[in-house]
Amino acid sequence: MRPNPIPTDAGASETLPISALLALAMTGFTAILTETLPAGLLPHMAAGLGVSESLAGQTVTVYAVGSLLAAIPLTLYTQGWRRKPTLLVAIVGFLIFNCVTAVSTCYALTLVARFMGGVAAGLGWGIIAGYARRMVVAPLRGKALAIAMVGTPLALSIGVPLGAMLGTTLGWRMAFGLMSITTLVLIGWVLWQVPDFPGQPAEERLSIARVFRTRGVRTVLVTLFAWITAHNILYTYIAPVAALSGVQGRLDLLLLGFGVAALVGIWVTGVLVDRALRPLVLVSLTVFAAVSLALGLFAASPVVTIAATILWGLSFGGAATQLQTALADAAGEGRRSGERDADDDVERRDRRGRDRRRRNARSSRRRVARLGRAGADVAGARNRIARPPPRLQARSTGIRLMHRSYA
């Protein structure tokens, strides 16, 4: 993997802006927790909305659909916007739609609010990684991205169980209300600590088709899709897997162990991502595959289940940072390739312009020459008409002489 060739932005810090990066991490934490919070509150939400638990579970589905459908279009639409206002639009979206979810008694309205919350998450995820990288100089981009992505494993390992506990104790509406309060705090945090950067100039923007044609982008996207899908399936069914080994009674400690291991994985990723990205991704994928195989073959063993969960967290903790860095590097190559193509286009246009001017000049000279020859021919014809042939001139002279003599 090649380092990102995009030049360092004006105002990029030579030290890690921890507070600003943690604000981005909190944004990711809010997005993940908003998505997964209903999973631990389905019975309570179903009762409050007067629907079945399966229908209540669709609040998670529509959030994911909104995020999926909105991520790429909104990222492209807002790429010319300044970064800080764009981030605030996404966070304000969390605030509004979590408030609507908290007070809604209509199932259809709740689904609409959840879908729009997913749209806000799609916008947020589309800018967090690039925003974190622009805050620092090139050698610190991997570490900055690792800090900005720490919210994801924290939300999965700590936020979801905590939110479920609060929802069970205080009610599911209060859980979403507390999410809205923390979002207000996040808005103030971003306004106070996060620097702003301009959007991309129009001449530097790449179409989605050109990005997808860039070497390496499709490989990273396929890897990301497969890895995240496998993780989500495994995480969704961790309770039944834990029940097979008899540790379902300590599922909270099992998830806590996953979270702590994920934090270690993020730290390791932050240290190595700028120096050994490809080996880091390959090792993480290999460990994750081994963990999945071990849980499938030896799920009845408590030791295997606990050890596999710890290794799972260790390998997956830095996944978002690793894949976002790989994607940014590949897209950076696409931008540089696009710049080369643009330069080549300019050179080709200049060359065509010079050739066209030379052809026009030659054509003009030929037209002038033809006009000159035509003018000479016309002048000669006029002279021939004005001067009769010699015989005709002689006869005319004789006739005039004879006329004079008779006169």
Side-chain angles (χ1 to χ4, degrees), residues 120-193:
L123 175 60
W125 287 121
I127 65 173
I128 287 177
Y131 205 165
R133 290 167 66 88
R134 291 180 71 176
M135 287 185 188
V136 296
V137 294
L140 296 177
R141 285 174 177 167
K143 294 181 177 64
L145 188 55
I147 296 173
M149 290 297 172
V150 75
T152 299
L154 285 178
L156 291 173
S157 57
I158 299 174
V160 173
L162 181 61
M165 182 186 71
L166 290 175
T168 302
T169 305
L170 304 175
W172 68 273
R173 297 183 186 278
M174 183 59 70
F176 280 99
L178 291 174
M179 282 288 298
S180 299
I181 293 174
T182 60
T183 305
L184 277 174
V185 174
L186 176 60
I187 291 173
W189 191 353
V190 171
L191 289 172
W192 180 36
Q193 289 290 331

Side-chain angles (χ1 to χ4, degrees), residues 54-399:
S54 60
L55 288 178
Q58 297 308 306
T59 57
V60 179
T61 303
V62 296
Y63 185 99
V65 171
S67 182
L68 177 65
L69 294 179
I72 292 178
L74 283 182
T75 300
L76 292 176
Y77 181 76
T78 61
Q79 60 184 327
W81 296 11
R82 296 194 69 85
R83 297 295 84 190
K84 191 171 182 175
T86 307
L87 180 65
L88 287 171
V89 167
I91 298 173
V92 169
F94 294 139
L95 172 64
I96 294 173
F97 300 119
N98 278 334
C99 286
V100 173
T101 303
V103 301
S104 172
T105 57
C106 174
Y107 176 68
L109 178 60
T110 302
L111 287 182
V112 172
R114 293 289 297 169
F115 178 85
M116 295 306 297
V119 170
L123 175 60
W125 287 121
I127 65 173
I128 287 177
Y131 205 165
R133 290 167 66 88
R134 291 180 71 176
M135 287 185 188
V136 296
V137 294
L140 296 177
R141 285 174 177 167
K143 294 181 177 64
L145 188 55
I147 296 173
M149 290 297 172
V150 75
T152 299
L154 285 178
L156 291 173
S157 57
I158 299 174
V160 173
L162 181 61
M165 182 186 71
L166 290 175
T168 302
T169 305
L170 304 175
W172 68 273
R173 297 183 186 278
M174 183 59 70
F176 280 99
L178 291 174
M179 282 288 298
S180 299
I181 293 174
T182 60
T183 305
L184 277 174
V185 174
L186 176 60
I187 291 173
W189 191 353
V190 171
L191 289 172
W192 180 36
Q193 289 290 331
V194 176
D196 192 15
F197 293 98
Q200 290 183 343
E203 63 274 9
E204 293 184 8
R205 300 173 199 167
L206 298 179
S207 66
I208 190 64
R210 174 170 285 179
V211 172
F212 273 106
R213 289 197 302 267
T214 302
R215 180 181 178 183
V217 168
R218 285 174 298 199
T219 302
V220 176
L221 290 177
V222 170
T223 303
L224 186 149
F225 177 80
W227 197 355
I228 299 302
T229 301
H231 164 79
N232 286 340
I233 292 173
L234 195 57
Y235 192 85
T236 301
Y237 294 101
I238 187 61
V241 171
L244 292 176
S245 61
V247 298
Q248 69 275 19
R250 306 313 303 269
L251 185 59
D252 52 348
L253 292 179
L254 193 65
L255 291 178
L256 179 61
F258 171 88
V260 173
L263 292 177
V264 175
I266 290 177
W267 177 78
V268 173
T269 297
V271 171
L272 299 177
V273 67
D274 289 321
R275 293 179 292 173
L277 177 58
R278 184 180 180 86
L280 189 62
V281 173
L282 292 176
V283 169
S284 298
L285 283 171
T286 302
V287 173
F288 181 80
V291 164
S292 302
L293 185 62
L295 289 175
L297 297 177
F298 308 105
S301 170
V303 175
V304 171
T305 299
I306 294 172
T309 302
I310 299 300
L311 290 174
W312 171 22
L314 186 65
S315 64
F316 186 77
T321 301
Q322 295 166 24
L323 294 178
Q324 288 278 10
T325 301
L327 191 59
D329 288 350
E333 289 296 325
R335 175 182 291 185
R336 189 169 67 178
S337 175
E339 290 172 352
R340 288 197 300 267
D341 291 344
D343 291 341
D344 292 342
D345 289 341
V346 171
E347 185 178 349
R348 283 194 294 270
R349 286 196 297 268
D350 289 344
R351 187 166 56 248
R352 286 196 297 267
R354 289 193 298 269
D355 294 341
R356 187 164 54 251
R357 287 192 293 271
R358 284 196 293 267
R359 288 195 301 270
N360 291 340
R362 288 195 297 267
S363 178
S364 298
R365 287 194 295 270
R366 286 195 295 269
R367 283 196 296 269
V368 170
R370 284 197 296 269
L371 289 173
R373 288 194 296 270
D377 292 342
V378 170
R382 292 178 63 184
N383 290 334
R384 285 194 296 273
I385 293 172
R387 298 178 182 177
R391 293 180 181 178
L392 184 59
Q393 289 180 1
R395 290 177 184 176
S396 176
T397 302
I399 290 172

Side-chain angles (χ1 to χ4, degrees), residues 1-27:
M1 302 274 182
R2 302 178 65 175
N4 185 16
I6 302 173
T8 299
D9 286 275
S13 175
E14 296 184 358
T15 60
L16 289 172
I18 299 298
S19 182
L21 293 172
L22 288 179
L24 297 183
M26 185 63 184
T27 304

